[in-house]
Amino acid sequence: MDATFRRPVLSPAAVPDAPHLLVIRGVRAIDPTRALDATVDITIEGGTITRIGPGAAAQVAGSEHARVIDGAGLWAVPAFVDLHAHLREPGQEYKEEIASGLNAAAAGGYAHVCVMPNTKPVNDTRAVTELMLRRAEEHGGAQLHPIAAITMGQKGKDLTEMAELRDAGIVGVSDDGVCVMNSGVMRRALEYAKNFDIPVIQHAEDHDLTAGAEMHEGNVSARLGLRGWPRVAEDVIIARDILLTEYTRARYHAAHISTLGAVRIMREAKSRGIDATAEVTPHHLLLTDASVIGYDTACKVNPPLREPEDVEALRRALADGTIDAIATDHAPHSPLEKDCEFAEASPGMIGLELCFGLLLGLVGESGITLPRLLEALSSRPARIIGIEPPTLKEGARAELTLVDPGARYRVEEMKLRSKSHNTPFLKHEMTARIVMTLSRGKVIFDALGAGARS
Ligand code: DOR
């Protein structure tokens, strides 16, 4: 909280200002919100998309104020919106700062990032919300949207002042990292949040069922001798919360769902018209508990990596829309919290920079289409938090991401913008790269310009 605590971090000031006129020539533009998939020229003037269509590039030929990007082989898609990131400021800036986290977000194609309240102190007051917003504005990159705690200190007892917090700029409430265990408190939270049309975002974990747990409870945990976190600990909370949501007619969002049971409950709730949404992380879509066999603490995460049948259920639920959104659960930790025994390690992995490159390979699997993947990364999460979804439309503020879908490279520690490098994907071969991100009409990440680092 102390202003002297801040450390300088590379800011988007290092990225040259967007020229008044930017033209992306011959790019494949894909926007599921408009059923658009065509090769076009995109003209951006003063931060607004002024033209999408053929021939725009010819209009600016010869203009010295225009920057023209050759879009051949690239895709332009609506910029991404992350519902779930831990940026650790205030309080644990050695793991991540708002500036470094937003740099990582921009490099991952994100124009908007929602930040969880489990900072130190917890974001349960206007002062912390305002501090986060101020830091983000000073930085000037991707737009930060604070999520405040549901209960004071995330202790599960007294509700936060949601009226005041909403007024300060929050987009939702969550005690993420801990579950709201008390049904009476959860009911009141849903009723209170409903007044402000914000979602109550639950970290679904019955702590009585997960006491001392280190990984998913199953054959692998039995073999490794690690204490298990059973699926049912997630399922009982989501089932209870759905009943409370139906009763209160409020808005509920399930964070990082990981089990086939949670998928089944969400599917049934949606079929009955209950206002409940869900997100899934890239790691729960890609990894299983078998990754823990080498006791790699990078694979320790909460909720834990599950079994192949859970992964398949999550993929199918993403494909059919039962799972609305993909959220990174970007959870930076330093070597202090990770280079230790499995039991002692903190749960979490980073995700902002890697999410899209990791997930593009899922297109075609389990019915997941490219438009559905893009929608789950952008317009669906935007609608959940009530912001204007990024779109490729004439007259819209430019919020788009340029992707090189043919890029092949290995994730290397030194190239990550996040301050922390806790990911099991460090040597992974990626099959797509983000090359440019625009947020609120401004270029916030640029790997194409002169001097840009890759
Ligand atoms: O793995 C996790 N890490 N899950 C959470 O819910 C919290 C997060 C963190 O803050 O590190």
Side-chain angles (χ1 to χ4, degrees), residues 10-97:
L10 180 74
S11 87
V15 176
D17 267 356
H20 185 70
L21 186 56
L22 180 66
V23 177
I24 307 159
R25 196 179 53 201
V27 71
R28 181 176 168 198
I30 313 164
D31 182 352
T33 67
R34 309 188 55 228
L36 172 71
D37 187 346
T39 299
V40 294
D41 297 338
I42 300 176
T43 309
I44 297 161
E45 283 176 85
T48 300
I49 299 176
T50 50
R51 195 177 147 82
I52 300 181
Q59 293 178 331
V60 297
S63 160
E64 27 176 282
H65 303 297
R67 174 172 173 197
V68 180
I69 293 170
D70 179 5
L74 304 181
W75 297 350
V77 300
F80 307 146
V81 177
D82 191 15
L83 289 176
H84 192 142
H86 300 271
L87 298 192
R88 307 299 190 209
E89 183 176 355
Q92 292 184 308
E93 289 84 350
Y94 68 98
K95 297 185 186 192
E96 194 78 283
E97 296 175 20

Coordinates of all heavy atoms in Angstrom, one line a residue, residues 10-97:
L10 N 9.0 -2.3 -16.8 CA 8.8 -1.9 -18.2 C 7.3 -1.6 -18.4 O 6.5 -2.5 -18.2 CB 9.3 -3.0 -19.0 CG 9.2 -2.7 -20.5 CD1 10.3 -1.7 -21.0 CD2 9.3 -4.0 -21.3
S11 N 7.0 -0.4 -18.9 CA 5.6 -0.1 -19.2 C 5.4 0.0 -20.7 O 6.3 0.0 -21.4 CB 5.2 1.2 -18.5 OG 5.5 2.2 -19.3
P12 N 4.1 0.1 -21.1 CA 3.9 0.2 -22.5 C 4.5 1.5 -23.1 O 4.5 1.6 -24.3 CB 2.3 0.2 -22.6 CG 1.8 -0.4 -21.4 CD 2.8 -0.1 -20.4
A13 N 5.0 2.3 -22.3 CA 5.7 3.5 -22.8 C 6.8 3.0 -23.7 O 7.3 3.7 -24.6 CB 6.3 4.3 -21.7
A14 N 7.3 1.8 -23.4 CA 8.4 1.2 -24.3 C 7.9 0.8 -25.6 O 8.6 0.6 -26.6 CB 9.0 0.0 -23.6
V15 N 6.6 0.7 -25.8 CA 6.0 0.4 -27.1 C 5.7 1.7 -27.7 O 5.0 2.6 -27.1 CB 4.6 -0.4 -26.9 CG1 4.0 -0.6 -28.2 CG2 4.9 -1.7 -26.2
P16 N 6.1 1.9 -29.0 CA 5.9 3.2 -29.6 C 4.4 3.5 -29.7 O 3.6 2.6 -29.9 CB 6.5 3.1 -31.0 CG 7.2 1.7 -31.0 CD 6.8 1.0 -29.8
D17 N 4.0 4.8 -29.6 CA 2.6 5.2 -29.7 C 2.0 4.7 -31.0 O 2.7 4.7 -32.0 CB 2.5 6.7 -29.7 CG 2.3 7.1 -28.2 OD1 2.1 6.3 -27.4 OD2 2.3 8.4 -28.0
A18 N 0.8 4.4 -31.0 CA 0.1 3.9 -32.2 C 0.0 5.1 -33.1 O -0.2 6.3 -32.7 CB -1.3 3.5 -31.9
P19 N 0.3 5.0 -34.4 CA 0.2 6.1 -35.3 C -1.3 6.4 -35.4 O -2.1 5.6 -35.1 CB 0.7 5.5 -36.6 CG 0.6 4.0 -36.5 CD 0.7 3.7 -35.1
H20 N -1.6 7.6 -35.9 CA -3.0 8.0 -36.0 C -3.7 7.0 -37.0 O -4.9 6.7 -36.8 CB -3.1 9.4 -36.5 CG -4.5 9.9 -36.6 ND1 -5.2 10.2 -35.4 CD2 -5.3 10.2 -37.6 CE1 -6.4 10.6 -35.7 NE2 -6.5 10.6 -37.0
L21 N -3.0 6.6 -38.0 CA -3.6 5.7 -39.0 C -2.9 4.4 -39.0 O -1.7 4.3 -39.3 CB -3.6 6.4 -40.3 CG -4.2 5.8 -41.5 CD1 -5.7 5.6 -41.2 CD2 -4.1 6.7 -42.7
L22 N -3.6 3.3 -38.8 CA -3.0 2.0 -38.8 C -3.8 1.1 -39.8 O -5.0 1.1 -39.7 CB -3.0 1.4 -37.4 CG -2.5 0.0 -37.1 CD1 -0.9 0.0 -37.3 CD2 -2.8 -0.4 -35.7
V23 N -3.1 0.5 -40.7 CA -3.8 -0.4 -41.6 C -3.2 -1.8 -41.6 O -2.0 -1.9 -41.7 CB -3.7 0.2 -43.1 CG1 -4.4 -0.8 -44.1 CG2 -4.3 1.6 -43.2
I24 N -4.1 -2.7 -41.4 CA -3.6 -4.1 -41.4 C -4.1 -4.7 -42.7 O -5.4 -4.8 -43.0 CB -4.2 -4.9 -40.2 CG1 -3.8 -4.1 -38.9 CG2 -3.6 -6.3 -40.2 CD1 -4.7 -4.5 -37.7
R25 N -3.2 -5.0 -43.6 CA -3.6 -5.4 -45.0 C -3.6 -6.9 -45.2 O -2.8 -7.6 -44.8 CB -2.5 -4.8 -45.9 CG -2.8 -4.7 -47.4 CD -1.7 -4.1 -48.1 NE -0.5 -4.8 -47.9 CZ 0.7 -4.3 -48.1 NH1 0.9 -3.1 -48.5 NH2 1.8 -5.0 -47.9
G26 N -4.7 -7.3 -45.8 CA -4.8 -8.7 -46.2 C -4.8 -9.7 -45.0 O -4.2 -10.7 -45.1
V27 N -5.5 -9.4 -44.0 CA -5.5 -10.2 -42.8 C -6.8 -11.0 -42.7 O -7.9 -10.6 -43.2 CB -5.4 -9.3 -41.5 CG1 -6.6 -8.5 -41.2 CG2 -5.0 -10.1 -40.3
R28 N -6.7 -12.2 -42.2 CA -7.9 -13.0 -42.0 C -8.6 -12.5 -40.7 O -8.1 -12.7 -39.6 CB -7.6 -14.5 -41.8 CG -8.8 -15.4 -41.7 CD -8.5 -16.9 -41.6 NE -9.7 -17.6 -41.2 CZ -9.6 -18.9 -40.7 NH1 -8.5 -19.5 -40.7 NH2 -10.7 -19.5 -40.3
A29 N -9.7 -11.9 -40.8 CA -10.5 -11.3 -39.7 C -11.5 -12.3 -39.2 O -12.4 -12.7 -40.1 CB -11.1 -10.0 -40.0
I30 N -11.5 -12.7 -38.0 CA -12.5 -13.7 -37.5 C -13.1 -13.1 -36.2 O -12.5 -12.8 -35.2 CB -11.8 -15.0 -37.1 CG1 -10.8 -15.4 -38.1 CG2 -12.8 -16.1 -36.8 CD1 -9.8 -16.5 -37.6
D31 N -14.4 -12.9 -36.3 CA -15.2 -12.3 -35.2 C -16.5 -13.1 -35.0 O -17.5 -12.9 -35.8 CB -15.5 -10.8 -35.4 CG -16.2 -10.3 -34.2 OD1 -16.6 -11.0 -33.3 OD2 -16.4 -9.0 -34.1
P32 N -16.5 -14.1 -34.1 CA -17.8 -14.9 -34.0 C -19.0 -14.1 -33.6 O -20.1 -14.5 -33.9 CB -17.4 -15.9 -32.8 CG -16.0 -15.6 -32.4 CD -15.5 -14.4 -33.1
T33 N -18.8 -12.9 -33.0 CA -20.0 -12.1 -32.6 C -20.7 -11.6 -33.9 O -21.9 -11.2 -33.8 CB -19.7 -11.0 -31.7 OG1 -18.9 -10.0 -32.4 CG2 -19.0 -11.4 -30.4
R34 N -20.0 -11.6 -35.0 CA -20.6 -11.0 -36.2 C -20.6 -12.1 -37.3 O -20.8 -11.7 -38.5 CB -19.8 -9.8 -36.7 CG -19.7 -8.8 -35.6 CD -19.1 -7.5 -36.1 NE -19.9 -7.0 -37.2 CZ -19.4 -6.6 -38.3 NH1 -18.1 -6.6 -38.6 NH2 -20.2 -6.2 -39.3
A35 N -20.3 -13.3 -37.0 CA -20.2 -14.4 -38.0 C -19.2 -14.0 -39.1 O -19.5 -14.2 -40.3 CB -21.5 -14.8 -38.5
L36 N -18.2 -13.3 -38.7 CA -17.2 -12.8 -39.7 C -16.0 -13.7 -39.8 O -15.4 -14.1 -38.8 CB -16.7 -11.4 -39.3 CG -15.6 -10.8 -40.1 CD1 -16.0 -10.4 -41.5 CD2 -15.0 -9.6 -39.4
D37 N -15.7 -14.1 -41.0 CA -14.4 -14.9 -41.3 C -14.1 -14.6 -42.7 O -14.6 -15.2 -43.6 CB -14.6 -16.4 -41.0 CG -13.3 -17.1 -41.1 OD1 -12.3 -16.5 -41.6 OD2 -13.2 -18.3 -40.6
A38 N -13.2 -13.6 -42.9 CA -12.9 -13.1 -44.3 C -11.6 -12.5 -44.3 O -11.1 -11.9 -43.3 CB -14.0 -12.1 -44.8
T39 N -10.9 -12.5 -45.5 CA -9.7 -11.8 -45.6 C -10.0 -10.3 -46.0 O -10.7 -10.1 -47.0 CB -8.8 -12.5 -46.7 OG1 -8.5 -13.8 -46.2 CG2 -7.5 -11.8 -46.9
V40 N -9.5 -9.4 -45.2 CA -9.9 -8.0 -45.4 C -8.7 -7.1 -45.1 O -7.6 -7.5 -44.6 CB -11.0 -7.6 -44.4 CG1 -12.3 -8.3 -44.7 CG2 -10.6 -7.8 -43.0
D41 N -8.8 -5.8 -45.4 CA -8.0 -4.8 -44.8 C -8.7 -4.1 -43.6 O -9.9 -3.9 -43.8 CB -7.7 -3.7 -45.8 CG -6.9 -4.2 -47.1 OD1 -6.3 -5.3 -47.0 OD2 -7.0 -3.6 -48.1
I42 N -8.0 -3.9 -42.6 CA -8.6 -3.2 -41.4 C -8.0 -1.8 -41.2 O -6.7 -1.8 -41.1 CB -8.5 -4.0 -40.1 CG1 -9.2 -5.4 -40.3 CG2 -9.1 -3.3 -39.0 CD1 -9.0 -6.3 -39.1
T43 N -8.7 -0.8 -41.2 CA -8.2 0.6 -41.0 C -8.6 1.1 -39.6 O -9.8 1.0 -39.3 CB -8.8 1.6 -42.1 OG1 -8.6 1.0 -43.4 CG2 -8.1 2.9 -42.0
I44 N -7.6 1.5 -38.9 CA -7.9 2.1 -37.6 C -7.4 3.5 -37.5 O -6.2 3.8 -37.8 CB -7.1 1.2 -36.5 CG1 -7.7 -0.2 -36.5 CG2 -7.3 1.8 -35.1 CD1 -6.8 -1.2 -35.9
E45 N -8.3 4.4 -37.3 CA -7.9 5.8 -37.2 C -8.2 6.4 -35.9 O -9.4 6.3 -35.4 CB -8.8 6.6 -38.3 CG -8.3 6.4 -39.7 CD -9.1 7.1 -40.7 OE1 -9.0 8.3 -40.9 OE2 -10.0 6.5 -41.2
G46 N -7.2 7.0 -35.2 CA -7.4 7.6 -33.9 C -8.0 6.6 -32.9 O -8.8 7.0 -32.1
G47 N -7.7 5.3 -33.0 CA -8.1 4.3 -32.1 C -9.5 3.7 -32.4 O -9.9 2.8 -31.7
T48 N -10.1 4.1 -33.5 CA -11.4 3.6 -33.9 C -11.2 2.8 -35.2 O -10.5 3.2 -36.1 CB -12.4 4.7 -34.1 OG1 -12.5 5.4 -32.8 CG2 -13.8 4.2 -34.5
I49 N -11.9 1.7 -35.3 CA -11.9 0.9 -36.5 C -12.8 1.7 -37.5 O -14.0 1.8 -37.2 CB -12.5 -0.5 -36.3 CG1 -11.6 -1.3 -35.4 CG2 -12.6 -1.3 -37.7 CD1 -12.1 -2.7 -35.0
T50 N -12.3 2.2 -38.6 CA -13.1 3.0 -39.5 C -13.4 2.2 -40.7 O -14.4 2.6 -41.4 CB -12.3 4.3 -39.9 OG1 -11.0 3.9 -40.3 CG2 -12.2 5.2 -38.7
R51 N -12.7 1.2 -41.0 CA -13.1 0.4 -42.2 C -12.6 -1.0 -42.1 O -11.5 -1.3 -41.7 CB -12.4 1.1 -43.4 CG -13.0 0.7 -44.8 CD -12.4 1.4 -45.9 NE -12.3 0.6 -47.1 CZ -13.3 0.4 -47.9 NH1 -14.5 1.0 -47.7 NH2 -13.2 -0.4 -48.9
I52 N -13.5 -1.9 -42.5 CA -13.1 -3.3 -42.7 C -13.6 -3.8 -44.0 O -14.8 -3.7 -44.3 CB -13.8 -4.2 -41.6 CG1 -13.4 -3.8 -40.2 CG2 -13.4 -5.7 -41.8 CD1 -14.0 -4.6 -39.1
G53 N -12.7 -4.1 -44.9 CA -13.1 -4.5 -46.2 C -11.9 -4.5 -47.1 O -10.8 -4.1 -46.8
P54 N -12.2 -4.9 -48.4 CA -11.1 -4.9 -49.3 C -10.7 -3.5 -49.7 O -11.6 -2.6 -49.7 CB -11.6 -5.8 -50.5 CG -13.1 -5.6 -50.4 CD -13.4 -5.4 -48.9
G55 N -9.5 -3.3 -50.1 CA -9.1 -2.1 -50.7 C -8.7 -0.9 -49.8 O -8.3 0.1 -50.3
A56 N -8.8 -1.1 -48.5 CA -8.5 0.0 -47.6 C -7.1 0.4 -47.7 O -6.7 1.6 -47.6 CB -8.9 -0.4 -46.2
A57 N -6.2 -0.6 -47.9 CA -4.8 -0.3 -48.0 C -4.4 0.7 -49.1 O -3.6 1.5 -48.9 CB -4.0 -1.6 -48.1
A58 N -5.2 0.5 -50.2 CA -4.9 1.4 -51.4 C -5.1 2.9 -51.0 O -4.4 3.8 -51.5 CB -5.7 1.0 -52.6
Q59 N -6.1 3.1 -50.2 CA -6.4 4.5 -49.8 C -5.3 5.3 -49.1 O -5.3 6.5 -49.2 CB -7.7 4.5 -48.9 CG -8.9 4.1 -49.6 CD -10.1 4.1 -48.6 OE1 -9.8 3.9 -47.4 NE2 -11.3 4.3 -49.0
V60 N -4.5 4.5 -48.4 CA -3.5 5.2 -47.6 C -2.1 5.1 -48.2 O -1.1 5.5 -47.7 CB -3.4 4.6 -46.1 CG1 -4.7 4.9 -45.4 CG2 -3.1 3.2 -46.1
A61 N -2.1 4.4 -49.4 CA -0.8 4.3 -50.1 C -0.1 5.6 -50.2 O -0.7 6.6 -50.6 CB -1.0 3.6 -51.4
G62 N 1.1 5.7 -49.8 CA 1.9 7.0 -49.9 C 1.7 7.9 -48.7 O 2.5 8.8 -48.6
S63 N 0.8 7.6 -47.8 CA 0.6 8.5 -46.7 C 1.8 8.2 -45.7 O 2.0 7.1 -45.2 CB -0.7 8.3 -46.0 OG -0.6 8.8 -44.6
E64 N 2.5 9.3 -45.3 CA 3.6 9.0 -44.4 C 3.2 8.9 -43.0 O 4.0 8.5 -42.1 CB 4.7 10.1 -44.5 CG 4.2 11.4 -45.0 CD 5.3 12.5 -45.0 OE1 5.6 13.0 -43.9 OE2 5.8 12.8 -46.1
H65 N 2.0 9.2 -42.7 CA 1.5 9.1 -41.3 C 0.9 7.7 -41.0 O 0.5 7.5 -39.9 CB 0.5 10.2 -41.0 CG 1.1 11.6 -41.2 ND1 2.1 12.0 -40.5 CD2 0.8 12.5 -42.1 CE1 2.5 13.2 -40.9 NE2 1.6 13.5 -41.9
A66 N 0.8 6.9 -42.0 CA 0.1 5.6 -41.8 C 1.2 4.6 -41.5 O 2.3 4.6 -42.1 CB -0.7 5.3 -43.1
R67 N 0.8 3.6 -40.7 CA 1.6 2.4 -40.5 C 0.8 1.3 -41.2 O -0.3 1.1 -40.9 CB 1.8 2.1 -39.1 CG 2.6 0.8 -38.9 CD 3.0 0.6 -37.4 NE 3.5 -0.8 -37.3 CZ 3.6 -1.4 -36.1 NH1 3.3 -0.7 -35.0 NH2 4.1 -2.6 -36.0
V68 N 1.5 0.6 -42.1 CA 0.8 -0.5 -42.8 C 1.4 -1.8 -42.4 O 2.6 -1.9 -42.5 CB 0.8 -0.3 -44.3 CG1 0.1 -1.4 -45.1 CG2 0.2 1.1 -44.7
I69 N 0.6 -2.7 -41.9 CA 1.1 -4.0 -41.5 C 0.7 -5.0 -42.5 O -0.5 -5.0 -42.9 CB 0.5 -4.4 -40.1 CG1 1.1 -3.4 -39.1 CG2 0.8 -5.8 -39.8 CD1 0.4 -3.5 -37.7
D70 N 1.6 -5.8 -43.0 CA 1.2 -6.9 -43.9 C 0.6 -8.0 -43.1 O 1.3 -8.7 -42.3 CB 2.5 -7.4 -44.6 CG 2.2 -8.5 -45.6 OD1 1.0 -8.8 -45.8 OD2 3.1 -9.0 -46.2
G71 N -0.7 -8.2 -43.3 CA -1.4 -9.2 -42.5 C -1.4 -10.6 -43.1 O -2.1 -11.5 -42.6
A72 N -0.7 -10.8 -44.2 CA -0.7 -12.1 -44.8 C -0.3 -13.2 -43.9 O 0.8 -13.1 -43.2 CB 0.2 -12.1 -46.1
G73 N -1.1 -14.2 -43.7 CA -0.7 -15.3 -42.8 C -1.1 -15.0 -41.4 O -1.0 -15.9 -40.5
L74 N -1.6 -13.8 -41.1 CA -2.0 -13.5 -39.7 C -3.5 -13.5 -39.5 O -4.3 -13.4 -40.5 CB -1.5 -12.1 -39.3 CG 0.0 -11.8 -39.4 CD1 0.3 -10.4 -38.9 CD2 0.8 -12.8 -38.6
W75 N -4.0 -13.6 -38.3 CA -5.4 -13.5 -38.0 C -5.6 -12.3 -37.1 O -4.8 -12.0 -36.2 CB -5.9 -14.7 -37.2 CG -5.8 -16.0 -37.8 CD1 -5.6 -16.3 -39.1 CD2 -6.0 -17.3 -37.2 NE1 -5.6 -17.7 -39.3 CE2 -5.9 -18.3 -38.1 CE3 -6.3 -17.7 -35.8 CZ2 -6.0 -19.7 -37.8 CZ3 -6.5 -19.0 -35.6 CH2 -6.3 -20.0 -36.5
A76 N -6.7 -11.6 -37.4 CA -7.2 -10.5 -36.5 C -8.4 -11.0 -35.7 O -9.4 -11.4 -36.4 CB -7.5 -9.2 -37.2
V77 N -8.4 -11.0 -34.4 CA -9.5 -11.5 -33.7 C -9.9 -10.5 -32.6 O -9.0 -9.6 -32.2 CB -9.2 -12.9 -33.0 CG1 -8.9 -13.9 -34.1 CG2 -8.1 -12.8 -32.0
P78 N -11.1 -10.5 -32.0 CA -11.4 -9.6 -30.9 C -10.5 -9.9 -29.8 O -10.2 -11.0 -29.4 CB -12.9 -10.0 -30.6 CG -13.4 -10.6 -31.8 CD -12.3 -11.3 -32.4
A79 N -10.0 -8.8 -29.2 CA -9.0 -9.0 -28.1 C -9.6 -9.7 -26.9 O -10.9 -9.7 -26.7 CB -8.5 -7.6 -27.6
F80 N -8.8 -10.4 -26.1 CA -9.3 -11.3 -25.1 C -9.6 -10.6 -23.8 O -9.1 -9.5 -23.5 CB -8.2 -12.4 -24.8 CG -7.7 -13.1 -26.1 CD1 -6.4 -13.6 -26.2 CD2 -8.6 -13.4 -27.1 CE1 -6.0 -14.2 -27.3 CE2 -8.2 -14.0 -28.3 CZ -6.9 -14.5 -28.4
V81 N -10.4 -11.2 -23.0 CA -10.9 -10.7 -21.7 C -10.7 -11.8 -20.7 O -11.3 -12.9 -20.8 CB -12.4 -10.3 -21.8 CG1 -12.9 -9.8 -20.4 CG2 -12.7 -9.3 -22.9
D82 N -9.8 -11.6 -19.7 CA -9.6 -12.6 -18.7 C -10.4 -12.4 -17.4 O -10.3 -11.3 -16.9 CB -8.1 -12.7 -18.3 CG -7.8 -13.9 -17.5 OD1 -8.7 -14.9 -17.4 OD2 -6.7 -14.0 -16.9
L83 N -11.2 -13.3 -17.0 CA -12.0 -13.2 -15.9 C -11.3 -13.4 -14.6 O -11.9 -13.2 -13.5 CB -13.2 -14.2 -15.9 CG -14.3 -13.9 -17.0 CD1 -15.3 -15.0 -16.9 CD2 -15.0 -12.6 -16.7
H84 N -10.1 -13.9 -14.6 CA -9.5 -14.5 -13.4 C -8.0 -14.4 -13.4 O -7.3 -15.3 -13.9 CB -10.0 -15.9 -13.3 CG -9.7 -16.6 -12.0 ND1 -10.6 -17.4 -11.4 CD2 -8.7 -16.5 -11.1 CE1 -10.2 -17.9 -10.2 NE2 -9.0 -17.3 -10.0
A85 N -7.4 -13.4 -12.8 CA -5.9 -13.3 -12.7 C -5.6 -12.8 -11.3 O -6.3 -12.0 -10.7 CB -5.4 -12.4 -13.7
H86 N -4.4 -13.3 -10.8 CA -3.9 -12.8 -9.5 C -2.7 -12.0 -9.8 O -1.7 -12.5 -10.2 CB -3.5 -14.0 -8.6 CG -4.7 -14.9 -8.4 ND1 -5.5 -14.8 -7.3 CD2 -5.2 -16.0 -9.0 CE1 -6.4 -15.7 -7.3 NE2 -6.3 -16.5 -8.3
L87 N -2.8 -10.7 -9.6 CA -1.7 -9.8 -9.9 C -0.9 -9.4 -8.7 O 0.1 -8.7 -8.8 CB -2.1 -8.6 -10.8 CG -2.7 -8.9 -12.1 CD1 -2.8 -7.7 -13.0 CD2 -2.0 -10.0 -12.9
R88 N -1.2 -9.9 -7.5 CA -0.4 -9.8 -6.3 C -0.1 -8.4 -5.7 O 0.6 -8.3 -4.7 CB 0.9 -10.6 -6.5 CG 0.8 -12.0 -7.0 CD 0.0 -12.9 -6.1 NE 0.1 -14.3 -6.6 CZ -0.8 -15.2 -6.3 NH1 -1.9 -14.9 -5.7 NH2 -0.7 -16.4 -6.7
E89 N -0.5 -7.4 -6.4 CA -0.3 -6.0 -5.9 C -1.6 -5.5 -5.4 O -2.6 -5.5 -6.2 CB 0.3 -5.1 -6.9 CG 0.7 -3.8 -6.4 CD 1.4 -2.9 -7.4 OE1 1.7 -3.4 -8.6 OE2 1.6 -1.7 -7.1
P90 N -1.7 -5.0 -4.2 CA -0.6 -4.8 -3.2 C -0.2 -6.0 -2.4 O -1.1 -6.9 -2.3 CB -1.3 -3.7 -2.2 CG -2.7 -4.1 -2.3 CD -3.0 -4.5 -3.7
G91 N 1.0 -6.0 -2.0 CA 1.4 -6.9 -0.9 C 2.4 -8.0 -1.3 O 3.2 -8.3 -0.4
Q92 N 2.4 -8.5 -2.5 CA 3.3 -9.6 -2.8 C 4.0 -9.2 -4.2 O 4.0 -10.1 -5.1 CB 2.6 -10.9 -2.9 CG 2.2 -11.4 -1.5 CD 1.6 -12.8 -1.5 OE1 0.7 -13.0 -2.3 NE2 2.0 -13.6 -0.7
E93 N 4.5 -8.0 -4.3 CA 5.1 -7.5 -5.5 C 6.3 -8.4 -6.0 O 6.7 -8.2 -7.1 CB 5.4 -6.1 -5.4 CG 4.2 -5.1 -5.4 CD 3.6 -5.0 -4.0 OE1 4.0 -5.7 -3.0 OE2 2.7 -4.1 -3.8
Y94 N 6.9 -9.1 -5.1 CA 8.0 -10.0 -5.5 C 7.5 -11.1 -6.4 O 8.3 -11.7 -7.2 CB 8.8 -10.5 -4.3 CG 8.0 -11.6 -3.5 CD1 8.2 -12.9 -3.7 CD2 7.1 -11.2 -2.5 CE1 7.5 -13.9 -2.9 CE2 6.4 -12.1 -1.8 CZ 6.6 -13.4 -2.0 OH 5.9 -14.4 -1.3
K95 N 6.2 -11.4 -6.4 CA 5.7 -12.4 -7.3 C 5.2 -11.8 -8.6 O 5.3 -12.4 -9.7 CB 4.5 -13.1 -6.7 CG 4.8 -13.9 -5.4 CD 3.5 -14.6 -5.0 CE 3.7 -15.3 -3.6 NZ 2.7 -16.2 -3.3
E96 N 4.5 -10.7 -8.5 CA 3.9 -10.0 -9.7 C 3.5 -8.6 -9.2 O 3.2 -8.4 -8.0 CB 2.7 -10.7 -10.2 CG 2.2 -10.3 -11.6 CD 3.0 -10.9 -12.7 OE1 4.1 -10.4 -13.0 OE2 2.5 -11.9 -13.3
E97 N 3.6 -7.6 -10.2 CA 3.0 -6.3 -9.9 C 1.9 -6.1 -10.9 O 1.9 -6.8 -11.9 CB 4.1 -5.2 -10.1 CG 5.2 -5.4 -9.1 CD 6.3 -4.4 -9.4 OE1 6.1 -3.4 -10.1 OE2 7.5 -4.6 -8.9

